[in-house]
Structures are given as C-alpha cells and as structure tokens.
Amino acid sequence: VTFFLLGDSVHGNSGDKHTVADGNLEKWIDGVTVTVGNNATVLEVITKALGSKYSIENETGNYIQSVTPKDGTALGEFTNGSLSGWMYTLNGVHPNLGVAQQYLNEGDVIVFHYTDDYLKEYEAEQNRTKTAEEVIAMIDAIGTVDLSKAGAISAARSAYDKLTDAEKALV
C-alpha cells in the first residue's frame, strides 16, 4: 500500500483554509510503501507508517482525533475551526467507513490528511469528473432497472455526460 500524510499548521480559525481539494496542505510523509498482511485496515497502515515519528489519538478506535509530530504540537479535530479534522482517501475517494473498518487490497493508495473544511472536501469530490471505469461501475451497480433506481440512473447519466468522447467510447 502507498501512504501519504498531509498535515497543516496550527492556525485556529484564521487565515486561509487548507484542504486536499485546494492542494495546499503540507506533505508530512510523501508516498511511502507500507507492507501489511491480508485483511489489513487503513488504521494498521496509518499506525505502521507513522511509527515513532508521530503519535495519534484514537479513542473510538475508528476515527483519529489528532496527530502529533514527536517534536511538535497536536493537530486535531476542531484545532483550525469547527469544520476541521482528519480524513482519508482510498484510491482518490473519501470512503464512508472509519479507519478500522476499511480493508485494503494490494496496490491501494491512502492519503491520510487534515482539512480545515471537511464540507469543501466532500463538495469537490461530488463535483469531480469520474473516470470511465467509475461510470461503468455506477452503471453496473444499477442492476435491474425499475422506478426505485431513478436516482442511480440519473447520477450515472450525469457522470457519463461529463466524460470526453474517448472515455465515452470505453463505456
């Protein structure tokens, strides 16, 4: 698994907002390979990658409240405002599972990152253009077409319409 850690300075609710969507976070760990066994979770990779250079606060076991560099200050939930905290992407998407619930596959890419505005992260993800493979998966997930699938069909059509002509040909 490839692992990235993107952090921020402690600046409270003042100044510019730092998010993955804006690409203005600090690289604390830049693309290290972490080897884990079968049925490994995101939490196992985070723990192994951070090693002795960082400590984490993980009271619930499934959400990391803060990360503290060994020679620095804790950066945690609400440190930089009411919408700030730690999140992660798995292969470019923010999953709906916590770090102890999300299992991994060989070749996965995890970006564990801080954000000053989690709403901006989700908005950017919803508005990003999907790949042809993602559109195919959306279509496959519809299954048997009936009236209850109207939302999924509309979302897949909208994603398809945003593709380039070359990507549409792949679908």
Side-chain angles (χ1 to χ4, degrees):
V1 175
T2 304
F3 178 82
F4 295 83
L5 176 64
L6 303 178
D8 195 4
S9 61
V10 174
H11 55 77
N13 202 16
S14 62
D16 292 336
K17 295 290 184 197
H18 302 106
T19 63
V20 163
D22 290 332
N24 58 359
L25 292 169
E26 300 170 15
K27 286 183 182 174
W28 288 5
I29 297 178
D30 190 14
V32 298
T33 299
V34 179
T35 303
V36 289
N38 292 336
N39 297 319
T41 64
V42 170
L43 179 59
E44 291 173 62
V45 171
I46 290 170
T47 303
K48 192 170 183 179
L50 299 186
S52 62
K53 294 182 179 171
Y54 299 86
S55 61
I56 62 172
E57 180 184 356
N58 180 20
E59 292 172 3
T60 67
N62 208 27
Y63 173 71
I64 296 176
Q65 289 96 341
S66 70
V67 174
T68 307
K70 286 297 181 194
D71 59 350
T73 305
L75 183 62
E77 183 178 32
F78 312 130
T79 298
N80 288 344
S82 62
L83 302 178
S84 66
W86 287 96
M87 303 174 74
Y88 74 97
T89 63
L90 179 61
N91 303 321
V93 177
H94 289 99
N96 292 326
L97 297 173
V99 293
Q101 296 170 315
Q102 181 64 61
Y103 290 95
L104 300 167
N105 294 304
E106 186 174 336
D108 280 345
V109 176
I110 299 167
V111 177
F112 185 55
H113 68 90
Y114 194 75
T115 184
D116 289 343
D117 186 347
Y118 74 88
L119 294 175
K120 189 169 196 172
E121 307 292 11
Y122 286 125
E123 179 182 318
E125 194 166 285
Q126 293 303 311
N127 291 331
R128 86 174 167 82
T129 302
K130 305 267 191 250
T131 65
E133 292 80 15
E134 289 172 312
V135 173
I136 291 168
M138 291 173 78
I139 293 168
D140 289 345
I142 293 168
T144 304
V145 175
D146 61 37
L147 291 176
S148 70
K149 306 290 177 72
I153 293 168
S154 176
R157 169 49 89 181
S158 176
Y160 176 81
D161 289 344
K162 292 179 184 175
L163 294 176
T164 64
D165 289 340
E167 291 171 318
K168 287 178 182 176
L170 296 173
V171 178

